[in-house]
Amino acid sequence: MRPSRRAPDELRAVSLERGVVKYAEGSCLVKFGDTHVLVTATLEERLPPWLKGQGRGWVTAEYGMLPRATLERTRREASAGKQGGRTVEIQRLIGRSLRAAVDLEALGERQITIDCDVIQADGGTRTASITGAWVALADCVGWMKARNMLKTGVLRDNVAAVSCGIYNGTPVLDLDYAEDSEADTDANFVMTGDGRIIEVQGTAEKTPFSEDEFRALITLAKKGVARLVDLQKMAVA
């Protein structure tokens, strides 16, 4: 039995609320159960120096956790003078994931920055961030279209992410903290709307997992991502 009493293939309650920030070109408050992330998309008419003159744009991301997103206060990274390795890893993952579904040439020489701020953490902050980030990005692209800034489509497909793991010997979908902290195996899957894989992160926390167990995890992930993509489409419809 899972601590949350969910079925092995059951997601937490998921919500994607658009337009929650007045000034951002795109925004989304994403909730995966008790994990809540505020995502904003900012359009800028500038590029990193190494991209200038190449006729294509860029999508990048920043990620952070508010001090009381966790049970005990976490020190702000700004006060430490640098970002931690986990933060850098996650924001690079978010950027890579979104760029996989963006036509950067169609975007033109512009940059969209996605900011993911974790308000409350209960496992799966990176997967919730990616799923909500796509909604904020889609809103930003819609904002551009409404102002005739784009000649062709920019978004090739949806992008969503979900965690899976082996908890008490059973493959389960969308781990909360109680499961994540005790799982034998923990994995994150990032996929497109048509089921193609963008990235897989999988680790045996306690016991190495078999190929059959990995197949079970990816089957769960495909089902979870398909449901998340449906929710994304409903959110931006």
Side-chain angles (χ1 to χ4, degrees), residues 113 192 218:
T113 301
T192 60
I218 199 169

Side-chain angles (χ1 to χ4, degrees), residues 1-223:
M1 176 68 72
R2 305 179 71 174
S4 62
R5 300 188 178 276
R6 286 180 286 143
D9 62 349
E10 185 180 353
L11 291 168
R12 289 175 283 181
V14 177
S15 69
L16 300 163
E17 183 182 355
R18 296 166 56 201
V20 294
V21 175
K22 179 178 180 179
Y23 301 109
E25 284 77 31
S27 62
C28 177
L29 177 60
V30 53
K31 297 180 181 180
F32 278 31
D34 286 333
T35 289
H36 303 170
V37 186
L38 177 62
V39 186
T40 57
T42 301
L43 174 67
E44 298 173 286
E45 295 287 344
R46 67 179 183 87
L47 284 172
W50 53 271
L51 259 181
K52 289 183 178 178
Q54 296 187 28
R56 59 191 176 100
W58 193 244
V59 177
T60 188
E62 293 189 12
Y63 167 96
M65 295 181 67
L66 298 184
R68 282 315 303 267
T70 51
L71 186 62
E72 297 180 354
R73 185 182 188 275
T74 303
R75 185 184 181 191
R76 293 183 189 273
E77 291 180 323
S79 66
K82 64 176 182 178
Q83 291 179 312
R86 177 180 179 276
T87 297
V88 173
E89 175 213 346
I90 292 175
Q91 64 190 28
R92 287 178 176 171
L93 170 66
I94 297 167
R96 285 195 305 272
S97 299
L98 296 175
R99 289 194 297 272
V102 172
D103 185 337
L104 295 174
E105 291 186 358
L107 181 60
E109 293 195 355
R110 306 179 178 98
Q111 176 169 286
I112 298 175
T113 301
I114 306 294
D115 287 292
C116 301
D117 293 291
V118 180
I119 300 171
Q120 185 170 281
D122 186 39
T125 61
R126 72 187 68 194
T127 53
S129 294
I130 290 167
T131 303
W134 185 90
V135 174
L137 178 62
D139 266 4
C140 183
V141 170
W143 185 93
M144 296 172 70
K145 287 180 178 177
R147 288 156 179 80
N148 297 316
M149 298 173 69
L150 299 171
K151 295 180 180 179
T152 58
V154 169
L155 291 176
R156 296 191 180 108
D157 204 344
N158 289 63
V159 173
V162 74
S163 64
C164 297
I166 299 175
Y167 177 78
N168 285 341
T170 301
V172 295
L173 177 68
D174 190 20
L175 282 67
D176 55 26
Y177 179 76
E179 293 174 325
D180 191 24
S181 60
E182 297 294 330
D184 295 325
T185 297
D186 179 22
N188 298 301
F189 294 84
V190 186
M191 298 181 178
T192 60
D194 61 3
R196 290 174 296 160
I197 295 170
I198 295 174
E199 188 151 343
V200 178
Q201 300 175 332
T203 304
E205 301 287 354
K206 297 178 181 178
T207 305
F209 54 97
S210 67
E211 188 173 336
D212 286 343
E213 288 173 322
F214 178 74
R215 289 197 190 99
L217 293 178
I218 199 169
T219 297
L220 284 173
K222 286 182 177 180
K223 180 176 181 178

